[in-house]
Amino acid sequence: MTPEQHQVPAATESGTFQDTPASQRWLVLVLPPLMALMMLGVTGLYWHRAQSESADKRLRNFHAAAEQIAYNLRDRMSTYEVMLRGVQGYVDGSERIERGEFQSYVDALQMQQTRPGLQGIALLMFVQGSRLPAHLADMRGRGFSGYTVHPPGERAQYAPITHIEPLEGRNLEALGLDALTLPVAREALERARDSGRLALSGLLGPLPPGTPPQGEVGLFLPVYSTLLEAESLSGRRRAILGWVAAPFRVGDVVRGLSREFDPDIALAIYDGQEPLPDALLHGDPALQAQALARGTLQVSRRLEVGGRSWTLLMAPLPAFDLRHEDEGHHMVAVMGLFLGLLLGWFAWVLATGRERAVALARRMTAELRGARDDLESTLSAIPDLLFELDAEGRIHHCRSARMPQSGLAPAHFVGRRLQDIVPPEEAAGCLQAVQAALAGGHSAGHQYHLEIDGQAHWYELSIARKESTHPGEGPRFVALARDITERQQAEARTHQLAYFDALTGLPNRRMLLDRLGLALAAARRSGQVGAVLFVDLDNFKQINDARGHTLGDQLLVEVARRLTGLLRPGDTVARLGGDEFVLLLQGIASDMATAGRQALAVAERVREALELPYAIDTHLYSSTGSLGITLFPKRAEQVEDLLREADTAMYRAKDLGRNRIRFYEAAMQADVQERLALEQDLKKAMAEGQLAAFVQPQVDAQGVVVGGELLMRWSHPVRGSVPPARFIPIAESSALILPMGAWMIEKACDAIAQLEAARVARGGTGEPLSISVNVSQRQFRQDDFVERVRNVLAQTGATPSCLILEVTESLLIENLDDTIARMTELVQLGVRFSIDDFGTGYSSLAYLKRLPLYELKIDKSFVQDTPDDPSDTAIVQSILSVARHLGLRVVAEGVETRAQADFLAASQCDCLQGYLFGRPEPLAGWLDRIKRVQAPG
């Protein structure tokens, strides 16, 4: 073999690459780096898209958390409004709100546990400037001895805080605060008054002075008079009685909701539509500034509460960003780089189509992973029970991210039917909700309850039909069960407080009016007769004042228990307030006569039950009740007419001596109207000078005038002369007796001064004449009665010993020690006392010995039959004998015959008074005649 032949194989081996076609050389040299660059590009795009998806996910979660914060705040404000409307209903249904009842009502709300942030519940009364003294007296009379309206100063209108609970700390200092002096509170009060709706105030500022602002605002609801129209703006302004209020700190409210907020979001709340620094209610502006400095996003939400706008600014904190960092795509990018280089090497042997298929598969996997993560995040944010079920109610899937009850683990439901889980009585309703979703696509609002760990939990069910993804599969549904137990409990408490008495648990006035309206309508339809019994405890005030309100409340609870035990099923016993109860008896007979007998029998059982002693704290207490009865239906009377009739009958029972039963009659109502008209005329009589002072002379045994009794007469321009027996009791019951009695004492002192001046003018001869004037029990019990008498004596210059104050025996025996002390003060001034109508009341030698008396007046009922009647003669002689032993002067009233006068003179009666010696005559004429008769020669 030649050398040339030996080199051929080498030349062939070296020419292998060169002999390769040009297209294949390009593929070998260009395709691997090109594939590597393509894979790197794909990896970069994947990394960029993963970054974008992570940012989008963070943004969605942030917006969802912000919406949750705004929703929870709005929901909490709604619960405050529901609570205030319950208080408004309680106030509307109460005639007079005592502090103990209000305290029990507020305690039942459990504000600190269920509504953190509330500082208290308050009542504000609307008081005109002219009514401020009466308002102060009324509040101090309720036990608030130091109550005053502050800040001080005269104003046309006031809105003081009259009730606030809990009454401690700053709430105690706020009692009596005039809210109209706070501009932001005044604006909210006037807005609530004019609109009739809930009003939220602006930032109240520090209270009391010196404390820093704490984001404190107030909610106000108006309370209107039910007697006046409140449909128009002018009507609401006239009918306003006051407001119910709920001051709260926004910061405390937010802290109370902290478990429902995302803790990694900075929240700032401003009052108004702009985030002004002076309007900050809650939040740290520095956190907001830090978030913006880091370039993070910030969202704003508007919240409308009580007619005002709140602006909510929210920004994520660094911890929020850390939660949403996902390092997984970085690792994927590294792996993509590695795989790109690897695929470049594999490109020598693999087709380019396979590389594209692998890249596409990875992109789809990343997208599926992102969708899965997003769905998982959304489902985890739902706090309710979420499950999937079929048309038969069988549960196939169940999940809950934050279910608080251990007994409701998702595995507890899977495989079971809905009707096997809920109570049998509610299973049909749940299946109807499923059928409604099958027919209409969705259903919502069905409620059911479950017994979990011995407690009832309420849920609201929402169901939506799900489109099937598997051929031949039956319809499926997605259901959401939301726990509404707290809302149900709040609604139940609100209903209880609005319609039932907080102390006794009985229906209150509002519930009674509803039931009475239904009973009246049913009676008219059926023809069956019902009855209303009005019960008022006798002398309850004395027990309450003497033993305290705690014992009084226990007594009222015991009364409620006894009354409830006497009623049939279907009847009602309610407490109107104080010691007033009403019994509603339905369908007791088919005719009025039989119904009257049945109602009287029930009333007698009630009266006997109330007479039994009450065992409270190992002591026995006695109390009775006065009852008024009215039957229905009679005419076109309404519910309020029935209550008024029963109330009128009850007061007639009290007038007849208490512990009695009386039916309502038409004459009763006429008497009430007549008394009201007479009271109004009596008020005008005082202002128009229709009242006049008359005097009836008093003489000694020889017929010489020694004094006179001052009497009041009323000459009405239409009625004519109105008898004292008719208008004096009305004056005493309406407090008109106070100015009338003071006027009579002034007249008596002026007459004494004139008589004394005339006596001095004639040389001081003769005995001074005395003037007697009647003093009512109400007048005598005035705190400043002694000072009033002292001032009148000083102003007129009257001789005190010539003024004789006539009082009744009933006044003397009530609170005897106080009576003796007050009489002693007046006697030390020189004033003398006489017992009027002696012998007709509680005559007792025991109090006669202790009282600083001057004289006794024998009632005319004993005098008029002497000396012919042995009994009356003996009584008169006994009174004269007792008086002589006690050193008291005796005046005999009603002397009309000479035989009576001779008998009394023979029995050594000191003074006589009656028609025999003179009828009552005008004081001025009598004084002129006396002065002329006694003038010197």
Side-chain angles (χ1 to χ4, degrees):
M1 183 178 293
T2 63
E4 291 80 359
Q5 292 178 325
H6 180 75
Q7 294 177 352
V8 168
T12 303
E13 183 178 354
S14 61
T16 302
F17 180 77
Q18 296 177 356
D19 294 338
T20 302
S23 58
Q24 292 184 2
R25 290 199 303 272
W26 176 86
L27 188 64
V28 172
L29 297 175
V30 177
L31 185 60
L34 181 62
M35 292 297 297
L37 290 175
M38 290 177 60
M39 283 302 302
L40 291 177
V42 170
T43 302
L45 289 174
Y46 166 77
W47 183 83
H48 181 268
R49 182 170 182 177
Q51 285 285 85
S52 299
E53 289 179 350
S54 177
D56 290 342
K57 178 180 177 181
R58 169 176 167 272
L59 180 60
R60 289 194 302 272
N61 289 342
F62 172 66
H63 280 284
E67 290 295 335
Q68 183 70 20
I69 291 174
Y71 171 83
N72 288 337
L73 278 175
R74 186 180 298 107
D75 185 68
R76 179 52 55 91
M77 294 299 103
S78 298
T79 62
Y80 286 178
E81 181 177 0
V82 170
M83 179 201 65
L84 271 185
R85 293 206 177 276
V87 180
Q88 183 189 44
Y90 164 70
V91 175
D92 284 340
S94 302
E95 291 184 350
R96 179 183 176 92
I97 300 179
E98 301 294 341
R99 178 182 177 269
E101 295 181 16
F102 188 72
Q103 182 183 26
S104 301
Y105 178 94
V106 175
D107 290 343
L109 293 177
Q110 300 179 350
M111 293 188 304
Q112 298 302 323
Q113 293 78 16
T114 63
R115 298 170 181 86
L118 275 184
Q119 301 304 300
I121 301 296
L123 298 184
L124 286 75
M125 183 177 292
F126 180 73
V127 181
Q128 294 288 356
S130 59
R131 295 290 302 160
L132 182 60
H135 169 73
L136 294 175
D138 178 61
M139 289 300 296
R140 291 167 182 169
R142 296 192 196 186
F144 297 94
S145 58
Y147 175 84
T148 184
V149 174
H150 59 89
E154 295 185 0
R155 295 180 285 277
Q157 296 173 342
Y158 300 82
I161 299 175
T162 59
H163 297 71
I164 185 167
E165 292 293 340
L167 192 58
E168 59 189 22
R170 290 177 56 195
N171 287 350
L172 184 60
E173 297 174 4
L175 186 65
L177 172 67
D178 181 9
L180 291 179
T181 61
L182 300 176
V184 290
R186 184 186 188 100
E187 183 275 336
L189 291 172
E190 292 177 348
R191 179 154 43 85
R193 175 200 64 193
D194 293 345
S195 65
R197 295 190 292 270
L198 181 76
L200 174 69
S201 75
L203 190 61
L204 292 176
L207 179 69
T211 60
Q214 303 181 56
E216 184 163 333
V217 296
L219 288 169
F220 303 90
L221 265 178
V223 177
Y224 299 108
S225 171
T226 57
L227 303 179
L228 297 175
E229 179 271 329
E231 297 300 323
S232 63
L233 175 60
S234 59
R236 288 190 288 271
R237 290 182 175 179
R238 287 193 303 270
I240 188 68
L241 293 179
W243 297 264
V244 293
F248 64 95
R249 296 177 183 169
V250 179
D252 291 344
V253 173
V254 173
R255 283 187 287 275
L257 294 171
S258 59
R259 290 191 297 177
E260 301 178 32
F261 288 176
D262 193 326
D264 296 330
I265 293 181
L267 169 64
I269 303 176
Y270 295 87
D271 181 28
Q273 299 183 2
E274 296 294 333
L276 302 176
D278 294 337
L280 180 65
L281 297 176
H282 168 75
D284 186 358
L287 292 178
Q288 299 284 336
Q290 293 175 10
L292 294 177
R294 291 188 293 105
T296 59
L297 55 98
Q298 176 177 275
V299 296
S300 173
R301 293 289 184 271
R302 186 73 48 76
L303 188 61
E304 299 292 335
V305 181
R308 293 187 71 88
S309 294
W310 282 359
T311 299
L312 279 61
L313 292 183
M314 290 163 278
L317 296 174
F320 184 89
D321 296 333
L322 291 175
R323 278 169 32 202
H324 295 83
E325 284 188 358
D326 186 5
E327 297 295 338
H329 58 274
H330 298 296
M331 182 59 67
V332 172
V334 172
M335 292 297 297
L337 176 62
F338 172 76
L339 290 176
L341 297 175
L342 184 63
L343 286 175
W345 181 75
F346 279 147
W348 292 90
V349 292
L350 297 178
T352 57
R354 181 176 179 81
E355 293 185 23
R356 289 196 300 271
V358 172
L360 179 61
R362 291 189 180 278
R363 286 198 300 272
M364 293 178 62
T365 300
E367 291 176 358
L368 290 174
R369 184 185 298 114
R372 182 201 63 190
D373 292 344
D374 186 58
L375 178 60
E376 182 69 22
S377 176
T378 301
L379 293 177
S380 297
I382 299 176
D384 306 313
L385 185 65
L386 186 68
F387 50 92
E388 181 180 337
L389 66 162
D390 56 25
E392 296 181 353
R394 188 174 303 280
I395 299 173
H396 294 272
H397 302 285
C398 181
R399 66 169 292 141
S400 176
R402 292 178 289 175
M403 210 64 188
Q405 294 85 8
S406 59
L408 287 184
H412 177 75
F413 299 102
V414 176
R416 302 177 64 185
R417 296 187 307 168
L418 194 62
Q419 54 267 38
D420 297 332
I421 298 173
V422 302
E425 63 272 12
E426 298 179 359
C430 292
L431 289 180
Q432 289 178 0
V434 174
Q435 294 303 316
L438 177 62
H442 68 278
S443 66
H446 179 72
Q447 297 180 0
Y448 65 93
H449 78 280
L450 294 177
E451 291 290 335
I452 303 172
D453 298 333
Q455 295 183 351
H457 290 264
W458 282 90
Y459 296 89
E460 187 174 70
L461 187 64
S462 300
I463 303 178
R465 187 176 61 202
K466 175 183 175 182
E467 296 300 330
S468 176
T469 58
H470 302 286
E473 186 180 56
R476 291 290 183 92
F477 304 88
V478 176
L480 188 90
R482 170 162 293 180
D483 190 337
I484 58 170
T485 304
E486 184 177 347
R487 188 175 75 191
Q488 288 278 10
Q489 293 172 347
E491 292 175 355
R493 285 194 296 270
T494 300
H495 180 272
Q496 177 73 18
L497 294 173
Y499 289 94
F500 292 87
D501 177 48
L503 176 63
T504 62
L506 295 178
N508 60 12
R509 183 183 185 89
R510 187 175 182 181
M511 176 66 81
L512 174 65
L513 292 177
D514 291 346
R515 292 187 180 180
L516 192 53
L518 296 174
L520 185 57
R524 287 172 177 158
R525 290 194 304 268
S526 64
Q528 292 291 311
V529 181
V532 176
L533 279 64
F534 201 110
V535 182
D536 187 273
L537 301 183
D538 299 328
N539 302 318
F540 174 74
K541 185 177 185 301
Q542 286 85 338
I543 296 177
N544 212 28
D545 293 342
R547 298 299 181 181
H549 292 281
T550 300
L551 186 140
D553 289 347
Q554 293 177 348
L555 179 62
L556 292 175
V557 171
E558 178 63 20
V559 169
R561 186 189 65 79
R562 293 186 183 183
L563 294 179
T564 303
L566 294 174
L567 296 188
R568 307 169 303 167
D571 292 339
T572 299
V573 56
R575 181 187 177 213
L576 297 188
D579 59 341
E580 294 180 340
F581 297 84
V582 171
L583 283 73
L584 171 59
L585 310 179
Q586 301 188 55
I588 57 177
S590 58
D591 61 273
M592 285 290 179
T594 306
R597 291 192 296 271
Q598 295 292 338
L600 182 60
V602 174
E604 185 61 33
R605 291 199 299 271
V606 170
R607 191 187 64 80
E608 292 174 355
L610 296 180
E611 279 185 327
L612 298 176
Y614 297 88
I616 301 175
D617 294 339
T618 70
H619 293 283
L620 293 178
Y621 298 91
S622 297
S623 180
T624 57
S626 298
L627 286 83
I629 306 174
T630 188
L631 303 178
F632 66 88
K634 297 189 288 291
R635 300 172 298 279
E637 72 277 346
Q638 300 301 317
V639 170
E640 292 291 350
D641 298 325
L642 294 178
L643 285 180
R644 187 188 68 251
E645 291 174 0
D647 186 42
T648 301
M650 181 274 294
Y651 275 107
R652 177 58 60 88
K654 282 189 176 292
D655 291 342
L656 294 177
R658 304 178 188 273
N659 194 21
R660 296 174 184 269
I661 302 170
R662 283 295 177 270
F663 276 89
Y664 174 79
E665 301 170 359
M668 289 184 186
Q669 188 65 21
D671 181 54
V672 170
Q673 293 176 346
E674 172 63 16
R675 286 173 64 93
L676 180 60
L678 204 60
E679 180 181 334
Q680 298 300 322
D681 289 349
L682 190 56
K683 292 179 181 179
K684 294 180 181 179
M686 295 180 59
E688 298 175 0
Q690 299 175 15
L691 302 179
F694 277 52
V695 65
Q696 186 175 28
Q698 297 174 342
V699 302
D700 58 14
Q702 290 73 39
V704 178
V705 175
V706 296
E709 180 182 3
L710 210 58
L711 305 170
M712 183 176 290
R713 292 294 182 265
W714 180 13
S715 178
H716 191 274
V718 177
R719 300 175 185 270
S721 179
V722 184
R726 189 176 178 191
F727 73 82
I728 291 297
I730 295 177
E732 290 180 344
S733 64
S734 64
L736 290 174
I737 195 67
L738 298 178
M740 292 167 59
W743 180 72
M744 287 293 284
I745 291 178
E746 292 177 6
K747 286 291 185 181
C749 292
D750 183 66
I752 293 172
Q754 292 186 45
L755 292 173
E756 182 63 18
R759 192 175 75 87
V760 173
R762 65 174 180 268
T765 60
E767 291 294 326
L769 299 184
S770 62
I771 298 294
S772 300
V773 61
N774 286 281
V775 176
S776 72
Q777 180 170 345
R778 198 164 190 170
Q779 183 182 7
F780 183 82
R781 295 296 179 195
Q782 284 181 288
D783 292 338
D784 59 346
F785 178 68
V786 176
E787 190 62 29
R788 287 174 179 267
V789 175
R790 180 186 288 110
N791 292 339
V792 172
L793 290 171
Q795 291 170 5
T796 60
T799 303
S801 60
C802 295
L803 176 63
I804 300 177
L805 302 181
E806 295 186 5
V807 296
T808 61
E809 293 179 88
S810 60
L811 180 147
L812 300 174
I813 65 167
E814 184 176 334
N815 201 350
L816 184 59
D817 292 335
D818 179 71
T819 300
I820 293 174
R822 187 162 297 191
M823 290 177 65
T824 302
E825 283 190 76
L826 290 167
V827 169
Q828 290 174 353
L829 296 177
V831 179
R832 301 180 180 183
F833 279 92
S834 172
I835 298 182
D836 194 17
D837 300 333
F838 183 77
T840 62
Y842 304 88
S843 303
S844 171
L845 294 178
Y847 75 74
L848 288 180
K849 292 192 301 181
R850 297 181 60 188
L851 295 171
L853 297 173
Y854 170 66
E855 72 175 20
L856 305 178
K857 295 191 74 173
I858 303 176
D859 187 69
K860 64 181 180 180
S861 62
F862 300 126
V863 175
Q864 62 187 3
D865 291 330
T866 59
D868 299 328
D869 187 297
S871 298
D872 286 343
T873 301
I875 291 174
V876 171
Q877 290 176 335
S878 298
I879 293 174
L880 290 169
S881 176
V882 169
R884 280 195 297 271
H885 283 86
L886 296 176
L888 302 177
R889 189 174 83 150
V890 178
V891 179
E893 293 183 297
V895 181
E896 299 179 356
T897 66
R898 175 49 57 185
Q900 295 170 351
D902 292 342
F903 162 71
L904 292 168
S907 300
Q908 301 180 14
C909 182
D910 303 291
C911 192
L912 310 178
Q913 177 182 341
Y915 288 171
L916 180 63
F917 307 104
R919 290 179 175 272
E921 58 182 297
L923 176 61
W926 183 77
L927 288 175
D928 291 341
R929 192 175 71 255
I930 293 296
K931 287 188 255 185
R932 286 197 307 270
V933 171
Q934 296 182 352

